[in-house]
Amino acid sequence: PFVWASAALLLLSFAGIASWFLLGKSRPAEVAALEKRYAESNKGDLSDLSKFSPDAVKTVFPTSLRSADGNRKFILGASDELLFRLSVPFETSASYTLTAVRDGVPFFELRDLKPSNGEIRVLLPRSIFRSGRVTFQLQDPGSTNSLITYEFSFE
């Protein structure tokens, strides 16, 4: 009985690892395709906010500038795309890289985002978000210490 239980456990472990490997391989390709698509979308003109429904526009301030009274909360809404207006307290670069992080794990990245009038507007697919906390890390690619952090959550 012990040998059969050990063999079954080994077989289940192997099946789990194989499933994780196979499913894990398909997800990055999807994310990479979305990142490429939205990198192009974000090169376009995002200045006309009237093109977006009010529930699709999310204004976020750096964590260092917010008061200690809490986390910015948003409702995901029904829009297929969300436009984030990220306040940039200081512009150290002509372009920035945005990394979206959930539970300490990066899940989406866009490069070459341009600041304009003290903010960066970023169009992202709603499909990459779910309920819970999200952190955006905005970094000047030419510097390792110019990180601006934004934290918020979706209900």
Side-chain angles (χ1 to χ4, degrees):
F2 180 72
V3 172
W4 290 109
S6 297
L9 183 61
L10 184 62
L11 184 62
L12 285 173
S13 298
F14 178 74
I17 291 170
S19 298
W20 174 78
F21 181 76
L22 292 173
L23 293 174
K25 283 288 191 187
S26 65
R27 187 177 181 283
E30 273 180 36
V31 172
L34 275 176
E35 287 174 341
K36 184 176 180 180
R37 178 177 159 207
Y38 279 87
E40 289 302 314
S41 295
N42 279 286
K43 288 180 183 175
D45 182 11
L46 299 174
S47 63
D48 186 2
L49 295 178
S50 68
K51 292 180 182 178
F52 302 95
S53 67
D55 72 324
V57 179
K58 314 294 184 192
T59 302
V60 187
F61 296 95
T63 305
S64 61
L65 297 182
R66 283 202 331 253
S67 64
D69 66 345
N71 186 23
R72 182 75 190 219
K73 294 181 181 179
F74 298 114
I75 295 174
L76 270 172
S79 299
D80 290 337
E81 296 178 319
L82 303 175
L83 179 70
F84 289 89
R85 298 176 66 194
L86 306 176
S87 172
V88 182
F90 49 88
E91 294 180 22
T92 60
S93 178
S95 70
Y96 291 85
T97 298
L98 175 83
T99 304
V101 178
R102 180 178 32 250
D103 300 325
V105 179
F107 66 92
F108 204 81
E109 182 177 277
L110 289 176
R111 296 176 183 187
D112 200 29
L113 298 171
K114 310 274 189 242
S116 176
N117 298 324
E119 71 178 17
I120 293 178
R121 293 185 182 184
V122 184
L123 187 65
L124 294 172
R126 180 190 181 280
S127 62
I128 66 170
F129 297 103
R130 63 175 190 245
S131 294
R133 180 178 293 252
V134 175
T135 301
F136 282 172
Q137 297 173 341
L138 193 64
Q139 185 159 12
D140 173 352
S143 173
T144 57
N145 61 357
S146 66
L147 182 68
I148 305 170
T149 303
Y150 306 81
E151 290 183 357
F152 56 93
S153 63
F154 284 107
E155 296 179 335

